[in-house]
């Protein structure tokens, strides 16, 4: 790997000659492949995972011996696991140490959804996760991944951080995995090398401070702020943490870390707790994280909310959701949705000023006298097991369905809405009309590749 000259000089000065040489050698190695299992969708046949090594700081994380053909794994599309870089799974240690009861959380720079899906697995029940992405196309990918993950207590928004400024003291926790110069991703993303420069590091540092400033009022007094980057330099890391402390009055918090994990601490001139992953010491990519607490004595300005949503005109019978009595049904145009009753007000507040592209569970769309169930419902872990006829499919049938091809059933499968499952995990709906079934898988999510790899390696 040919590294930028300025990066070499900067990083050598930061780490010292011996450590820098070890880092350089590590960057020439193939990056590890890691996945995180979905606790809401447990799967029984995990022989390939059982052979792998666990990620010590993540209870559901595994290193794989080789990269799988994820695109051709139905369980991947069903949300049973997420392909995520191992170092960033360290977020679990922060949540386990500092979050004990239900909270309202904002993942500010969330796409494509690795940390958001992880957060949703870790947060106590009753918590609400708001996942935001400023780039519209990436916000759709974020929504797709969170929908597949299946937990209903999620809102996906497409907004600039400054758009949250009026929501003062709304969030108990804010995670800001801020856009950075990408030094820690050099071996996974070669384009990051070509885009790197000292000028870009400075631009990123100032952008990161602007993002933190824009969102700070939305954090409750005493709330937890988690700051992360995928860089090695101190300008985007320690120096920004010191700035948040000095300019915004935050307290820098520590996280309990066993020494055998070999996580690197502060590399700046001033010592305070931060957590840096270096690929020659920890098995993963470059990653930096720090935890701060907002001062408890800051004033709180309430946000006024007026509920403008309509109650649904339809009674779902049989029930489509487990514990349906806990949900408020609503409709916007022909789309029917459900959110937890105790989160309805917060979600209504968000809809007032933000671009909400997904919230709760989209149940279906009204077409005449019928309601066509939504793929969101099929993916939800709140889907009632007895609501729809379930039909198990083979691997080949699952791939055909995920390609949005026509599905044909035998005569014993009843007409109407059918839920397809693979290894007892829901894949999505079809409408069986007898001689064939209309494939209801989302067009934009389909497998576009028309060929099958010579070797299939799946979970």
């Amino acid at each position: 790997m040919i590294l930028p000259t300025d990066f070499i000089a900067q990083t050598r000065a930061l780490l010292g000659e011996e450590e820098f040489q070890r880092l350089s050698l590590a960057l020439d190695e193939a990056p590890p492949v890691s996945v995180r299992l979905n606790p809401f969708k447990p799967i029984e046949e995990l022989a390939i995972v059982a052979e792998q090594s666990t990620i010590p700081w993540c209870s559901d994380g595994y290193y794989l011996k080789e990269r799988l053909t994820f695109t051709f794994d139905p369980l991947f599309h069903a949300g049973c696991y997420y392909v995520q870089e191992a170092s960033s799974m360290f977020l679990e240690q922060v949540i386990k140490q500092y979050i004990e009861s239900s909270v309202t959380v904002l993942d500010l720079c969330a796409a494509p959804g690795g940390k958001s899906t992880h957060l949703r697995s870790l947060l106590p029940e009753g918590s609400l996760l708001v996942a935001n992405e400023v780039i519209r196309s990436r916000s759709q990918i974020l929504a797709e991944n969170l929908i597949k993950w299946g937990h209903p207590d999620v809102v996906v928004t497409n907004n600039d951080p400054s758009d949250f400024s009026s929501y003062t003291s709304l969030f108990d926790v804010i995670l800001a995995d801020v856009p950075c110069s990408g030094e820690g991703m050099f071996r996974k993303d070669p384009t990051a090398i070509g885009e790197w420069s000292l000028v870009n590091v400075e631009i990123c540092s100032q952008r990161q401070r602007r993002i933190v400033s824009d969102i700070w009022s939305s954090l409750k007094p005493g709330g937890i702020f988690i700051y992360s980057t995928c860089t090695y330099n101190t300008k985007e890391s320690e120096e920004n943490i010191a700035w948040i402390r000095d300019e915004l009055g935050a307290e820098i918090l520590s996280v309990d870390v066993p020494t055998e994990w070999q996580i690197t601490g502060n590399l700046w001139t001033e010592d305070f707790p931060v957590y840096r992953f270096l690929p020659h010491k920890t098995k993963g990519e470059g990653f930096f994280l720090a935890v701060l607490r907002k001062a408890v004595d800051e004033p709180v300005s309430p946000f006024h909310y007026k509920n403008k949503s309509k109650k649904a005109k339809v009674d779902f019978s049989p029930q489509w959701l487990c514990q349906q009595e806990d949900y408020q049904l609503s409709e916007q145009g022909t789309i029917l949705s459900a959110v937890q009753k105790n989160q309805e007000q917060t979600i209504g507040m968000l809809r007032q000023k933000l671009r909400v592209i997904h919230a709760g569970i989209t149940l279906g769309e009204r077409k005449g006298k019928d309601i066509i169930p939504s793929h969101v419902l099929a993916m939800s872990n709140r889907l009632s097991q007895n609501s729809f006829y379930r039909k198990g499919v083979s691997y080949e049938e699952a791939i055909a369905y995920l390609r949005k091809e026509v599905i044909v059933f035998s005569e014993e499968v009843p007409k109407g809405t059918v839920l397809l499952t693979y290894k007892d995990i829901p894949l999505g709906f079809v409408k069986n009309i007898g001689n064939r079934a209309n494939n209801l898988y989302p067009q934009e999510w389909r497998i576009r590749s028309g060929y099958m790899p010579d070797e299939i390696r799946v979970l």
Side-chain angles (χ1 to χ4, degrees):
M1 179 183 297
I2 301 176
L3 298 171
T5 302
D6 287 337
F7 172 80
I8 293 173
Q10 172 186 268
T11 312
R12 180 181 280 125
L14 184 67
L15 299 179
E17 182 62 30
E18 181 180 351
E19 285 286 294
F20 175 74
Q21 291 302 326
R22 291 177 61 199
L23 173 64
S24 297
L25 291 173
L27 293 180
D28 282 328
E29 299 173 354
V33 181
S34 50
V35 300
R36 182 172 38 77
L37 303 184
N38 187 343
F40 309 124
K41 298 185 177 183
I43 43 183
E44 295 180 0
E45 299 179 24
L46 284 178
I48 191 168
V49 169
E51 297 173 359
Q52 313 309 316
S53 57
T54 58
I55 297 172
W57 46 85
C58 179
S59 56
D60 292 318
Y62 293 85
Y63 295 107
L64 303 183
K65 291 182 179 179
E66 60 181 351
R67 190 167 188 86
L68 307 182
T69 46
F70 297 117
T71 299
F72 296 92
D73 187 352
L75 296 179
F76 171 71
H77 294 276
C80 291
Y81 65 94
Y82 192 96
V83 185
Q84 184 180 8
E85 199 284 306
S87 299
S88 62
M89 299 183 198
F90 181 69
L91 175 65
E92 177 167 321
Q93 300 305 311
V94 181
I95 301 302
K96 285 186 173 179
Q97 184 163 336
Y98 286 103
I99 307 303
E100 298 179 350
S101 57
S102 61
V103 286
T104 302
V105 179
L106 171 63
D107 186 355
L108 183 62
C109 312
K115 294 180 183 65
S116 290
T117 54
H118 198 188
L119 274 170
R120 193 53 274 180
S121 297
L122 297 169
L123 294 174
E125 281 301 313
S127 299
L128 178 65
L129 172 64
V130 180
N132 178 72
E133 171 57 42
V134 65
I135 300 173
R136 185 177 295 273
S137 59
R138 285 170 55 83
S139 69
Q140 297 296 329
I141 297 171
L142 172 64
E144 175 183 343
N145 286 326
L146 279 166
I147 288 169
K148 289 177 177 178
W149 207 245
H151 199 289
D153 299 339
V154 170
V155 176
V156 179
T157 57
N158 170 219
N159 288 85
D160 186 84
S162 61
D163 295 338
F164 288 86
S165 60
S166 62
Y167 293 93
T168 53
S169 304
L170 178 60
F171 299 104
D172 302 282
V173 181
I174 295 178
L175 166 63
D177 185 41
V178 290
C180 65
S181 60
E183 298 166 354
M185 302 301 289
F186 278 179
R187 65 179 177 181
K188 288 189 69 175
D189 183 10
T191 60
I193 300 175
E195 295 173 352
W196 188 92
S197 68
L198 290 175
V199 171
N200 192 38
V201 168
E202 179 63 33
I203 291 173
C204 288
S205 175
Q206 295 304 315
R207 181 190 300 124
Q208 291 152 2
R209 294 186 182 189
R210 192 270 295 177
I211 289 172
V212 175
S213 297
D214 285 343
I215 202 63
W216 195 251
S217 64
S218 298
L219 184 63
K220 289 181 180 178
I224 299 297
F225 187 81
I226 306 169
Y227 177 98
S228 65
T229 66
C230 54
T231 56
Y232 305 117
N233 71 75
T234 62
K235 185 171 287 292
E236 299 177 74
S237 304
E238 283 95 339
E239 294 179 50
N240 273 352
I241 299 306
W243 178 87
I244 296 171
R245 178 198 61 191
D246 297 339
E247 295 296 320
L248 301 176
E251 174 191 4
I252 304 172
L253 305 177
S254 62
V255 180
D256 297 330
V257 175
T259 55
E260 58 265 28
W261 292 356
Q262 296 196 57
I263 298 174
T264 303
N266 198 309
L267 296 176
W268 195 41
T269 55
E270 186 179 345
D271 189 31
F272 44 77
V274 298
Y275 306 89
R276 178 184 273 99
F277 288 71
L278 301 173
H280 64 285
K281 296 177 68 175
T282 49
K283 191 175 180 180
E285 300 303 329
F287 181 67
F288 173 92
L289 182 142
V291 187
L292 305 99
R293 178 184 285 125
K294 189 175 184 179
V296 297
D297 56 354
E298 291 201 13
V300 177
S301 300
F303 185 88
H304 299 288
Y305 162 68
K306 183 177 180 180
N307 189 355
K308 297 181 180 180
S309 62
K310 298 179 181 179
K311 292 186 177 180
K313 300 176 182 178
V314 61
D315 178 27
F316 292 92
S317 184
Q319 289 192 335
W320 284 4
L321 301 177
C322 300
Q323 301 173 321
Q324 188 158 305
E325 65 277 4
D326 295 336
Y327 291 84
Q328 177 61 57
L329 305 182
S330 64
E331 56 184 331
Q332 293 183 328
T334 60
I335 303 300
L336 304 166
S337 303
V339 298
Q340 291 265 22
K341 289 179 179 177
N342 61 359
Q343 296 171 352
E344 182 186 13
Q345 180 171 343
T346 301
I347 294 173
M349 289 169 55
L350 296 171
R351 289 189 184 278
Q352 283 191 4
K353 295 192 175 183
L354 301 178
R355 289 187 293 275
V356 174
I357 62 175
H358 169 71
I361 307 170
T362 304
L363 297 170
E365 182 177 6
R366 189 196 305 276
K367 290 190 175 181
K369 296 181 179 179
D370 296 328
I371 298 173
I372 308 301
S374 166
H375 190 72
V376 178
L377 177 64
M379 293 291 97
S380 176
N381 66 357
R382 295 300 193 270
L383 173 65
S384 175
Q385 293 295 308
N386 300 319
S387 295
F388 301 94
Y389 181 87
R390 299 165 70 96
K391 175 70 170 66
V393 296
S394 66
Y395 174 81
E396 292 74 17
E397 291 171 324
I399 295 299
Y401 173 74
L402 294 167
R403 282 174 164 159
K404 205 170 170 60
E405 296 175 359
V406 174
I407 306 296
V408 179
F409 296 128
S410 57
E411 293 182 357
E412 66 265 18
V413 177
K415 292 183 180 180
T417 301
V418 175
L419 177 66
L420 300 190
T421 64
Y422 176 74
K423 295 186 176 180
D424 293 326
I425 301 295
L427 281 182
F429 293 114
V430 297
K431 185 174 182 180
N432 186 25
I433 56 177
N435 58 337
R436 62 181 175 83
N438 292 334
N439 191 327
L440 301 182
Y441 193 72
Q443 177 73 17
E444 62 276 16
W445 294 8
R446 73 192 188 283
I447 297 176
R448 290 173 170 80
S449 175
Y451 78 98
M452 291 291 288
D454 295 333
E455 181 184 1
I456 301 294
R457 300 184 304 277
V458 298
L459 238 58

